[in-house]
Amino acid sequence: YMKNIFLGIAVVIAPTAFAFHVVIDPGHGGVDAGTTRRDFKESETALTVAKKLAAKLRSNRQFKVTLTRTDDRALGLLERVRIADQTNGDILISIHVNSSTDTRARGVEFYFQNQLAADEEAMYLAHRENNESSTEKSPIAALKNVTPSLRTILEDLLSTDRIFQSAELCKSLKTHWRGHKKQTANSLHQAPFVVVSDVHMPAALVELGFATNAEDYKALTDNEYLNVAALSLYNGIVDFKESLDKSLPPALKSPTVSSR
């Protein structure tokens, strides 16, 4: 939807004639249940919310949706990244459920790729979620034929722009969240999660709440609350897309421009 390549000037290809492609990544799966409590499994709840969100997006003709998994199966972090990049998604939303040794910790949290040093708590969470090592990022196809020095410059500019857009995506998701909110701290964080750091698109990782907190646990096991969570994420994505549309030059909003 929006691909910026800086070579003296920005080349932006972003017509409204094509659907905005959202990749939804339900965390964990299969033998990796993620956070558990009694009969509760993070992998199942993440998939439930992902499917609810996908249904809402697909009901809007402005959106196209890909899920990295549609059933309870194991899927490695790098495979999730490959799926997102191969489908040429415009944004990625990774859905998870949090846990903490402090049962008072509660509420939603939104994460995007860190550019500065992450705080100790965010680093711990990223280490827990990143259950396999990341390898070198896959090359950006459009930059294969440029010189190494120019490629480095362009990749750095692309990365900076992607992190900025990821931050804006998280802000939009946070603004439209109507579920439980973290009471004592900011719910917007940066952390080096593989799934949001290695994809070549704006990406956000959402922790829906803490299964280790009694109030959050009650909500996370309530289907109506999961509907609220999915609707909140949907509204945040819609608002993010609209903000991108408003930022485009008028000439690039013409359906005669092709993005593929």
Side-chain angles (χ1 to χ4, degrees), residues 28-44:
H28 306 278
V31 295
D32 177 18
T35 296
T36 60
R37 180 176 178 179
R38 299 172 188 164
D39 294 331
F40 175 89
K41 293 182 180 180
E42 175 183 358
S43 56
E44 293 178 353

Side-chain angles (χ1 to χ4, degrees), residues 232-247:
S232 297
L233 296 176
Y234 169 78
N235 288 333
I237 293 170
V238 170
D239 183 65
F240 177 73
K241 178 188 180 300
E242 290 177 351
S243 70
L244 290 182
D245 290 342
K246 292 176 183 178
S247 69

Side-chain angles (χ1 to χ4, degrees), residues 35-37 97-106 109 121 124-125 128 182 207 209-213 216:
T35 296
T36 60
R37 180 176 178 179
V97 173
N98 223 331
S99 66
S100 175
T101 55
D102 182 357
T103 58
R104 295 170 297 177
R106 63 182 294 261
E109 292 185 330
E121 181 182 3
Y124 169 76
L125 180 60
R128 194 189 73 195
K182 197 168 185 178
E207 298 278 1
F210 287 77
T212 46
N213 175 270
D216 276 9

Side-chain angles (χ1 to χ4, degrees), residues 26 34 39 57 66 75 159 182 191 241:
D39 294 331
L57 289 167
T66 295
L75 194 64
S159 177
K182 197 168 185 178
K241 178 188 180 300

Side-chain angles (χ1 to χ4, degrees), residues 136-237:
E136 183 181 358
K137 295 179 183 180
S138 58
I140 302 173
L143 304 183
K144 284 183 177 179
N145 298 320
V146 301
T147 64
S149 58
L150 179 57
R151 178 189 173 90
T152 299
I153 294 171
L154 294 176
E155 285 186 335
D156 182 62
L157 290 168
L158 286 166
S159 177
T160 299
D161 181 69
R162 185 177 67 251
I163 293 173
F164 172 78
Q165 294 295 344
S166 297
E168 293 302 304
L169 172 59
C170 281
K171 289 177 185 177
S172 183
L173 295 174
K174 178 183 175 182
T175 297
H176 290 275
W177 184 257
R178 295 296 177 264
H180 292 171
K181 298 180 181 179
K182 197 168 185 178
Q183 294 179 327
T184 59
N186 184 7
S187 60
L188 191 63
H189 304 281
Q190 290 179 276
F193 293 106
V194 168
V195 76
V196 297
S197 299
D198 283 18
V199 292
H200 297 111
M201 66 195 72
L205 185 145
V206 182
E207 298 278 1
L208 297 171
F210 287 77
T212 46
N213 175 270
E215 188 173 351
D216 276 9
Y217 174 75
K218 182 179 179 181
L220 290 166
T221 54
D222 179 1
N223 188 60
E224 286 305 311
Y225 184 81
L226 300 185
N227 286 334
V228 171
L231 179 60
S232 297
L233 296 176
Y234 169 78
N235 288 333
I237 293 170

Side-chain angles (χ1 to χ4, degrees), residues 3-61:
K3 311 291 184 188
N4 295 327
I5 298 180
F6 296 89
L7 184 54
I9 59 173
V11 178
V12 182
I13 305 176
T16 57
F18 293 90
F20 190 80
H21 191 170
V22 181
V23 180
I24 306 174
D25 174 48
H28 306 278
V31 295
D32 177 18
T35 296
T36 60
R37 180 176 178 179
R38 299 172 188 164
D39 294 331
F40 175 89
K41 293 182 180 180
E42 175 183 358
S43 56
E44 293 178 353
T45 299
L47 182 58
T48 296
V49 174
K51 287 182 174 180
K52 290 177 182 291
L53 173 58
K56 293 181 184 298
L57 289 167
R58 285 169 175 155
S59 69
N60 185 333
R61 295 179 61 186

